[in-house]
Amino acid sequence: MGRGDLTNAEWDRLESFLPRGGARGGRWSDHRRVINGVLYRVRTGVQWRDLPERFGPWETVYKRHRRWSADGTWQMLLSRIQAAEDAAGGIDWDVSVDSTAVRVHQHAAGARKAPPAAISQKGRAGDEPGRSGTAETGRPSGGGGQIGECLGRSRGGFTTKIHLAAEGRCRPLGLVLTPGHYGDGPQLERVLEQVSVPRTGVGRPRTRPDRVLADKAYTSRRNRRYLRRRGIPHTIPERLDQQRHRKNRGSRGGRPTGFDSERYKKRNTVERTINRLKGFRAVATRYEKRAYIYLGTVTLAALVIWLRT
């Protein structure tokens, strides 16, 4: 076992969830070796062609990562591990939300402007993504152009932004990609909609945190109404200009927003989660032209964090 490869304990947790069949009814190459190859690339950021020979042909490793990014297999594995942790009471549901800008390598530019074709599924209706093993290698619907591929210009240059929700033990619960110049506040609803932890038994997935913590970028009235509508307590500081406008309106300005400074100290969990994600070089710098492949890379890094914490 090489440094960074799956340990026996980690492999035992993943093995039962992996797809059984290969493309067109064939057999997959050894899952553990290929996953270790993807992990090596995500951890080091090397070019796919430079993968060590012990992982097998680099084309096999790359195509597996591309396929599983497209059909949701990485997300399915992450959900299963989260479900097991939640069943054991291992998730702290005080959720913090924030974003981080990721520098885009020059090789990530130049994808075709036409939106990629939707991935075709030959499995039965209702099959879980990635479980039937009959999905053709393709791309999910959407994308095309710089905005469609989540590429933008910001102070940091050519960037992509990762918006995430992190639970109280510094592990990602939900991930969203946008171009780097997009604001944080308007993405709060999208990020929280990605929080969905299945139940191991009967019941709907858990989607509502015990509390949401966020900085001043998320302090809009729309976000506060959304959280109140869902019955989610929140700790979000109010900007000085909002305080001034409320006071100027007198009785029509409403009551001050509740803010607990002691609870707010816990928001550092999302910053520490971002640091963990950026410990993976292929996350800290985006090399993929297509947003769905980069999202698969970030999801795999999140999966490793869940397995190892």
Side-chain angles (χ1 to χ4, degrees), residues 154-200:
S154 65
R155 289 185 177 182
F158 202 32
T159 53
T160 291
K161 187 172 282 189
I162 304 173
H163 305 262
L164 72 155
E167 55 95 48
R169 293 183 172 89
C170 303
R171 296 174 293 189
L173 281 173
L175 298 163
V176 169
L177 298 184
T178 65
H181 60 278
Y182 277 30
D184 292 355
Q187 308 304 322
L188 177 67
E189 295 184 29
R190 289 185 62 197
V191 173
L192 292 183
E193 286 171 0
Q194 296 300 314
V195 177
S196 180
V197 178
R199 310 285 186 178
T200 55

Side-chain angles (χ1 to χ4, degrees), residues 3-307:
R3 187 169 70 91
D5 289 355
L6 293 173
T7 65
N8 291 334
E10 293 163 358
W11 172 247
D12 290 341
R13 297 178 67 185
L14 285 180
E15 186 178 12
S16 61
F17 304 137
L18 294 171
R20 300 301 179 188
R24 302 182 184 275
R27 298 180 60 185
W28 292 105
S29 297
D30 180 59
H31 276 320
R32 187 169 184 175
R33 183 177 68 172
V34 173
I35 292 175
N36 283 334
V38 180
L39 285 178
Y40 181 90
R41 190 265 173 181
V42 172
R43 180 172 60 86
T44 62
V46 301
Q47 294 188 11
W48 291 102
R49 293 175 181 270
D50 295 332
L51 284 175
E53 294 182 359
R54 65 187 178 91
F55 299 120
W58 72 266
E59 297 96 333
T60 300
V61 181
Y62 167 70
K63 289 180 180 178
R64 187 79 55 86
H65 177 54
R66 185 181 67 180
R67 182 190 301 273
W68 285 3
S69 298
D71 67 11
T73 299
W74 292 130
Q75 181 59 49
M76 179 270 294
L77 293 173
L78 177 60
S79 296
R80 294 295 181 86
I81 297 300
Q82 290 174 344
E85 285 288 320
D86 190 40
I91 296 182
D92 182 345
W93 282 95
D94 281 355
V95 174
S96 302
V97 180
D98 206 350
S99 72
T100 181
V102 174
R103 190 63 182 266
V104 177
H105 195 272
Q106 60 183 359
H107 293 166
R112 294 181 180 179
K113 294 183 179 180
I119 188 170
S120 61
Q121 296 280 355
K122 292 187 178 180
R124 297 172 298 173
D127 280 348
E128 291 185 41
R131 295 294 291 175
S132 66
T134 57
E136 295 289 338
T137 302
R139 304 180 178 91
S141 58
Q146 285 195 5
I147 299 300
E149 300 298 346
C150 297
L151 301 172
R153 300 282 180 179
S154 65
R155 289 185 177 182
F158 202 32
T159 53
T160 291
K161 187 172 282 189
I162 304 173
H163 305 262
L164 72 155
E167 55 95 48
R169 293 183 172 89
C170 303
R171 296 174 293 189
L173 281 173
L175 298 163
V176 169
L177 298 184
T178 65
H181 60 278
Y182 277 30
D184 292 355
Q187 308 304 322
L188 177 67
E189 295 184 29
R190 289 185 62 197
V191 173
L192 292 183
E193 286 171 0
Q194 296 300 314
V195 177
S196 180
V197 178
R199 310 285 186 178
T200 55
V202 178
R204 294 179 295 178
R206 176 163 183 177
T207 60
R208 189 167 62 181
D210 291 337
R211 177 171 291 271
V212 168
L213 300 93
D215 60 21
K216 293 181 180 180
Y218 299 88
T219 188
S220 67
R221 292 181 181 178
R222 176 178 176 177
N223 286 341
R224 293 183 187 274
R225 284 197 299 264
Y226 167 75
L227 293 170
R228 284 196 298 268
R229 186 170 65 250
R230 292 191 57 189
I232 302 175
H234 54 275
T235 301
I236 305 176
E238 192 178 26
R239 294 200 306 265
L240 292 178
D241 62 328
Q242 289 180 326
Q243 296 178 14
R244 186 167 56 251
H245 294 160
R246 175 172 47 77
K247 292 178 181 178
N248 290 340
R249 289 171 60 87
S251 60
R252 295 177 301 170
R255 294 176 297 177
T257 59
F259 178 71
D260 188 337
S261 60
E262 287 300 316
R263 278 186 177 270
Y264 188 68
K265 293 178 181 179
K266 195 175 180 180
R267 198 193 66 84
N268 71 83
T269 55
V270 69
E271 306 289 353
R272 290 152 62 191
T273 305
I274 290 171
N275 288 339
R276 286 182 174 182
L277 283 173
K278 286 195 167 182
F280 296 86
R281 291 177 178 267
V283 174
T285 301
R286 174 178 169 178
Y287 299 99
E288 290 83 0
K289 294 180 184 294
R290 294 296 184 185
Y292 77 92
I293 302 180
Y294 181 63
L295 180 60
T297 298
V298 181
T299 303
L300 177 57
L303 173 62
V304 174
I305 291 173
W306 276 89
L307 288 172

